[in-house]
Every structure is written in C-alpha cells, then in structure tokens.
Amino acid sequence: MNDSNNHINSSLELGESRRIIGISGGIGSGKSIICKIFEVLGVPVYYADERAKWLTNNDLQLRKEIKELLGREAYDSNGQYNRKWVASQVFENPALLKILNSLIHPRVYEDTKQWLQQNQDKAYVLREAALTNAAGNGNDLSKLIVVSSPMDLRIARIKKRDPQRNEAEIRAIIARQKTEEEFQKIADYQIINNEKELLIPQILSLHKIFQG
Ligand code: ATP
C-alpha cells in the first residue's frame, strides 16, 4: 500500500525489473495532455496508437502483410495507409479485424522492445494506449493508470479538437472502447481530469511513487 490518493488496487507492487507504466482511458479523457506533462518531468512516453499508425506506413514487412491481407487499396496512390478504406473493410468483419490486429500487434511489440532498450536508464517509462488490459494481463506493464473524465466533457473536447468528427462518430468510437466501469476495474491508479481537480499535483504524486 502506498500513500497516493489515486491508488485504487493495492495488491500489486511495482515490479523491480520492469517499470513500464500503462496509461489509458477513453477518447478525450486527456491521456495525451497528461503524458505531455510527464514528459516535461523527463519521463519517456511510448504513444502506442500513434506508433502503430506510423508503423502501418513505415514498416516494410507490415505494409507487405497488410497488402497481402486486404489488397493494394489498403495504401493510396501516394503510398499512404488508407485508414478510412481499411476501416470500411473491417468495420463489420470482426474476423478480418482480428487478423489485421494480429499483423500490427507483433510489430508494435517489437518496436516497443527497441524503444525500451533506448530508455533503459530511466526509473520508469509510460506506455499510452486507448486499448489495454490490466497490468500483467498479457502485457509487460507494472501498473496501469486510468484517466477519468465525465462523458459530456470528453465529447465536448473531441468536438473541439477534431472538428471533422460529428457527435455520432465520437459516440461510435466510445461504444467500441471500454466503459468507465471497465476501466475502473483494471486501474491501479487513476487521474481525474474533470477540469476541477488540479492535474499537476495528481501527476507529481504518481511520479514520486514510480520514481521509487
Ligand atoms: P485520444 O484517445 O483521442 O487520443 P486523449 O485521451 O489522448 O484522446 P487528449 O488529446 O489529451 O485526450 O485531450 C483531448 C482534448 O481535450 C485535447 O485537445 C486536450 O488539449 C483537451 N484537454 C484535455 N484535458 C484538458 C484539461 N484538463 N483542460 C483543458 N483541455 C483539456
């Protein structure tokens, strides 16, 4: 047990050998903005979703495998990953989506391993992803931080940040993600980002714990 107010599950202790802390939460909860504050404190952050996007464009093996699975249309005339078209193909085909993910996930895993090697000297690192399991459940996470924000605030933030998305699209994304209750169940720590509680003290308190 430690002294953080953010601490939810006390059963797990911080792993000695690996200090990879996951940070997750639904769309618009504020994961990225919170990670930027951790980065200011000198904590390296692996942005798994962004990195997966980068790899679909830049990892030659992955490009080849995706084209073999979905066809040449998976990349546009400029050679860029055609996310919209791919999404339309897998949207109502969970089996195909599963195969696509089984191509992408091992590449992200390899990429994460390389990234970790470059940051071996750090007391801990963060791995940001919207999709996650509990720490230790099929992943190398020591702990998981969940960022929580009220739903109406999340939707308002995304409307402002991504004006090309309408509310129905935002709600469709939310429907595919874990619910707030599901996130709470797997959280070791939470950060409340409701624009009432101050963020920086919550972040500093977790930083102190993870630095050991
Ligand atoms: P996604 O899953 O889409 O990546 P996210 O959880 O990373 O979303 P952010 O991008 O960090 O969310 O936040 C969504 C938007 O809300 C951003 O424009 C961000 O600047 C803004 N935002 C988040 N938290 C706050 C806050 N406490 N005060 C003001 N703006 C905020």
Side-chain angles (χ1 to χ4, degrees):
M1 190 74 182
N2 60 51
D3 60 359
S4 168
N5 290 333
N6 315 103
H7 198 192
I8 291 180
N9 296 335
S10 59
S11 56
L12 296 164
E13 287 309 318
L14 196 63
E16 284 307 310
S17 54
R18 282 199 181 121
R19 286 184 171 182
I20 309 169
I21 312 296
I23 179 161
S24 192
I27 183 169
S29 57
K31 300 178 289 298
S32 307
I33 200 173
I34 287 167
C35 285
K36 297 288 173 222
I37 301 174
F38 275 103
E39 283 187 300
V40 171
L41 296 172
V43 180
V45 181
Y46 185 87
Y47 294 91
D49 301 333
E50 271 176 30
R51 205 56 202 160
K53 282 183 199 161
W54 188 88
L55 289 165
T56 52
N57 273 318
N58 295 285
D59 182 306
L60 296 180
Q61 183 186 332
L62 184 57
R63 284 178 71 101
K64 184 168 165 277
E65 289 171 355
I66 290 176
K67 279 186 203 162
E68 278 166 9
L69 178 71
L70 300 172
R72 300 187 69 80
E73 294 107 310
Y75 289 85
D76 66 19
S77 52
N78 298 320
Q80 289 300 298
Y81 186 58
N82 196 341
R83 185 166 311 282
K84 253 193 160 157
W85 182 85
V86 171
S88 73
Q89 299 303 297
V90 299
F91 186 62
E92 289 193 22
N93 191 339
L96 191 61
L97 176 61
K98 202 170 168 189
I99 302 174
L100 178 64
N101 282 336
S102 75
L103 301 179
I104 296 172
H105 288 164
R107 309 306 298 162
V108 176
Y109 182 77
E110 281 307 312
D111 187 65
T112 310
K113 260 186 13 193
Q114 278 182 21
W115 181 86
L116 283 170
Q117 271 170 5
Q118 290 159 14
N119 291 288
Q120 269 173 340
D121 56 322
K122 303 289 176 180
Y124 75 99
V125 297
L126 287 180
R127 182 181 193 278
E128 189 245 37
L131 268 182
T132 187
N133 290 336
N137 178 4
N139 57 46
D140 290 334
L141 302 179
S142 307
K143 296 283 183 184
L144 179 67
I145 304 168
V146 164
V147 181
S148 294
S149 301
M151 184 66 82
D152 52 349
L153 200 48
R154 288 169 54 196
I155 292 172
R157 284 175 186 157
I158 297 306
K159 279 185 178 164
K160 196 168 164 198
R161 189 195 66 184
D162 306 339
Q164 78 285 4
R165 285 182 162 141
N166 62 36
E167 186 160 336
E169 281 177 65
I170 299 168
R171 287 193 183 274
I173 295 170
I174 290 171
R176 290 197 296 273
Q177 296 185 328
K178 281 192 164 60
T179 63
E180 195 56 31
E181 291 68 34
E182 288 167 334
F183 271 123
Q184 292 301 317
K185 274 192 194 143
I186 61 170
D188 297 300
Y189 301 92
Q190 73 172 327
I191 293 176
I192 296 170
N193 183 22
N194 58 7
E195 297 177 30
K196 289 184 188 130
E197 323 272 329
L198 290 176
L199 278 180
I200 291 179
Q202 297 183 71
I203 292 170
L204 287 176
S205 142
L206 292 176
H207 182 59
K208 204 171 151 197
I209 294 167
F210 298 141
Q211 268 198 317

